[in-house]
Amino acid sequence: MPDTLTVTDNRTGKTFEIPITDETIRAVDLRQMKTAPDDFGLMPYDPAYMNTASCKSRITFIDGDLGILRYRGYPIDQLAESASYLETAYLLYHGELPTEAQSSDWIASIMRHVMVPEGMTKLMNGFRHDAHSMGMFVSSVAALGTYYPEAKDIAHPEVRRRQILRLVAKVPTLAAFAFRYRRNLPFIYPDQELSYAGNFLSMLFKKTELRYKPNPVLERALDILFILHADHEQNCSTSTMRLVGSSHTEPYSALAASAAALYGPLHGGANEAVLTMLREIGSKDRIPEFIKRVKGGEGRLMGFGHRVYKNYDPRARIIKRTAEEVFDVTGKNPLIDIAVELERIALEDEYFIKRKLYPNVDFYSGIIYEALGFTPDMFTVLFAIPRTIGWLTQWEEMLNDADQKIGRPRQIYLGYGERKFVPMADRK
Ligand code: SDX
């Protein structure tokens, strides 16, 4: 059978053969279906892009029904088990796992960029004392770009690569500055002799000791959390990176826009919302009453549900396992008991089963972050740091894709037809 769709437009009786490639049809092929020669032609209407492929990509594969997530073909559980975050970042960006030599070059080229211009400390000091860390992160990423005017020259691969190295290296520094600023603590400068996660922990928690020694269990747990959050195909914030990047703006502004999208409680902001929800529930015996309210349409079970996963989010499973290792060091976060019981009850409830609502990456991550010493305002920042390589890899792929040009969707116009201007004196 041919890979085509035969469509009859019953308004005209005309029949069209539409080619099918990669299980899709090109939306522009619908434009030939008109009722008159000067007709614009048909368009698909797809609010929130529920069923629209915006690009072709070779970076991340998700199978929502089977709960599969692979970066460049490697299953997420194998990467979380055996790789480091920077090794995974190399894989996402270059498409292959690094050799020993490639890995040490990559690590060195990132860690040499961990410092930020001193002016960024002045920017940080301009925020309200209790400014939300994500607000500080989004603003400082955009501001960082003003220190590298050559970043606007996005046509040059080497220029793009240098900004990618700078951003992956510097986002933990900006995040740590925001964390320290809110606590009225002096900024701790990076220590490039430490690992990526270790240096981040040092910039966050170092006190008066000469050199910070990260706890290896916590350092590894953070590295695993970074791996799990590194990319997730065309989610809201990545689609933002692609759309904003399609205007050929420089990558710092595009990345700030993506982080702004991630900030929303329906997206990366959910990890913060989960902790608020668990605190509001307060104890296991109040879970049934909470579930009843959710089923009555009063709010959502934050950290549950996903546009693509209609099965358990594989990342949530790994995070839940990692929590135990963190608690062995930090002591157990009592909220985990409420979360585990909430999951158990929800997964047995027809409302959630029917809608295929399962825990997603945000359900357990905040509980670990809190045990590591972070306050909820930092949780989405902890999502944005590792997702930086995902956003930038997707940006790079978009710029190299001959199919892509500046994104500009159409609309269904339902507003007024032409009207004559009414002078102020004549308005009612
Ligand atoms: C992330 O896209 C990605 O890949 C994102 C991400 C990534 O790595 O980049 O995975 C990260 O953003 C994870 C999602 C974090 N968000 C939350 O945990 C917030 C709570 N979840 C939802 O609001 C919701 O599930 C979404 C936003 C995640 C997905 O929403 P959809 O696909 O648009 O689904 P929907 O809102 O149309 O819901 C379908 C039905 C509705 O019920 P009915 O109207 O059919 O009766 O399911 C219900 C919804 O009311 N529903 C929920 C629910 N999520 C959906 N009901 C209760 N609690 C929930 N969490």
Side-chain angles (χ1 to χ4, degrees):
M1 296 292 275
D3 278 340
T4 58
L5 203 60
T6 303
V7 181
T8 299
D9 184 344
N10 293 318
R11 302 172 299 173
T12 59
K14 282 187 185 161
T15 298
F16 304 86
E17 289 295 304
I18 311 279
I20 296 171
T21 48
D22 302 314
E23 307 288 305
T24 59
I25 59 166
R26 291 187 77 98
V28 286
D29 285 348
L30 299 173
R31 289 278 294 278
Q32 57 188 314
M33 298 173 200
K34 304 174 179 228
T35 52
D38 58 354
D39 235 4
F40 182 80
L42 284 188
M43 278 194 297
Y45 172 53
D46 189 12
Y49 310 116
M50 297 291 282
N51 191 42
T52 290
S54 62
C55 64
K56 294 175 181 173
S57 181
R58 293 173 176 76
I59 301 167
T60 294
F61 173 75
I62 302 174
D63 181 315
D65 294 328
L66 299 177
I68 289 172
L69 168 58
R70 299 186 197 124
Y71 293 160
R72 301 286 188 180
Y74 293 96
I76 191 68
D77 54 314
Q78 292 179 27
L79 292 167
E81 179 66 33
S82 314
S84 72
Y85 169 70
L86 284 187
E87 199 178 348
T88 305
Y90 183 99
L91 168 67
L92 283 167
Y93 179 59
H94 295 89
E96 298 297 338
L97 288 167
T99 61
E100 189 86 38
Q102 288 166 335
S103 176
S104 45
D105 283 352
W106 173 250
I107 292 169
S109 54
I110 285 177
M111 294 311 285
R112 82 163 66 94
H113 285 290
V114 288
M115 201 62 177
V116 297
E118 188 57 14
M120 295 305 290
T121 60
K122 295 187 180 61
L123 177 86
M124 283 289 167
N125 283 304
F127 287 106
R128 229 176 80 134
H129 69 93
D130 60 352
H132 195 287
S133 301
M134 261 313 267
M136 288 195 263
F137 181 82
V138 170
S139 328
S140 52
V141 165
L144 187 65
T146 63
Y147 284 89
Y148 308 107
E150 88 269 11
K152 291 162 71 78
D153 187 4
I154 59 144
H156 287 83
E158 254 324 293
V159 171
R160 295 201 304 268
R161 180 182 170 79
R162 201 159 44 250
Q163 313 322 312
I164 289 171
L165 294 175
R166 281 176 171 148
L167 275 160
V168 172
K170 295 176 194 304
V171 287
T173 312
L174 296 177
F177 279 15
F179 178 86
R180 302 281 294 190
Y181 177 76
R182 273 173 58 96
R183 287 152 185 78
N184 201 23
L185 292 170
F187 298 130
I188 300 291
Y189 288 94
D191 178 345
Q192 64 184 60
E193 299 305 310
L194 293 172
S195 74
Y196 190 77
N199 167 51
F200 183 47
L201 289 168
S202 169
M203 294 188 290
L204 292 161
F205 300 121
K206 183 175 176 298
K207 294 185 176 62
T208 54
E209 68 274 36
L210 209 55
R211 165 167 265 183
Y212 181 81
K213 284 193 181 55
N215 176 300
V217 174
L218 304 186
E219 186 178 10
R220 178 59 189 153
L222 199 54
D223 211 50
I224 289 171
L225 285 160
F226 283 177
I227 290 169
L228 298 175
H229 287 83
D231 191 55
H232 213 240
E233 57 129 291
Q234 306 312 316
N235 56 81
C236 177
S237 53
T238 298
S239 303
T240 302
M241 185 77 190
R242 281 176 170 264
L243 184 61
V244 172
S246 73
S247 75
H248 287 188
T249 186
E250 42 80 17
Y252 298 84
S253 301
L255 201 119
S258 309
L262 187 75
Y263 192 1
L266 293 183
H267 192 9
N271 54 19
E272 178 178 354
V274 168
L275 262 286
T276 309
M277 172 187 75
L278 294 174
R279 288 233 149 70
E280 276 167 10
I281 294 171
S283 61
K284 285 201 276 191
D285 59 336
R286 293 178 54 191
I287 292 175
E289 160 207 337
F290 172 77
I291 292 277
K292 191 159 167 275
R293 282 207 309 275
V294 168
K295 289 162 65 176
E298 276 179 63
R300 292 197 158 189
L301 174 44
M302 301 310 277
F304 256 66
H306 200 277
R307 176 63 56 78
V308 177
Y309 288 125
K310 301 307 171 193
N311 199 324
Y312 212 101
D313 184 333
R315 300 168 295 177
R317 213 187 297 282
I318 299 168
I319 291 175
K320 194 172 168 185
R321 223 176 27 240
T322 307
E324 299 312 325
E325 291 150 30
V326 170
F327 296 158
D328 286 347
V329 175
T330 62
K332 187 173 169 182
N333 184 337
L335 291 178
I336 189 87
D337 294 330
I338 299 177
V340 169
E341 179 63 0
L342 183 54
E343 174 191 335
R344 186 190 66 75
I345 293 176
L347 293 186
E348 290 171 359
D349 187 301
E350 193 43 38
Y351 176 93
F352 298 92
I353 295 168
K354 190 173 105 196
R355 292 166 177 81
K356 297 185 179 179
L357 302 175
Y358 291 87
N360 59 49
V361 68
D362 290 314
F363 190 63
Y364 286 106
S365 54
I367 296 169
I368 299 187
Y369 293 148
E370 189 169 75
L372 287 170
F374 295 104
T375 40
D377 63 281
M378 273 296 285
F379 294 0
T380 309
V381 175
L382 291 163
F383 194 144
I385 292 171
R387 186 53 63 88
T388 293
I389 190 61
W391 288 328
L392 290 165
T393 301
Q394 298 272 353
W395 171 70
E396 181 73 19
E397 186 177 65
M398 178 271 298
L399 291 175
N400 287 305
D401 182 345
D403 261 5
Q404 296 294 337
K405 53 204 301 190
I406 185 167
R408 201 257 183 245
R410 310 304 296 255
Q411 64 174 12
I412 299 171
Y413 178 69
L414 300 176
Y416 285 106
E418 185 177 350
R419 298 195 281 174
K420 202 164 167 352
F421 183 76
V422 179
M424 186 70 86
D426 302 342
R427 292 171 203 164
K428 304 215 176 11

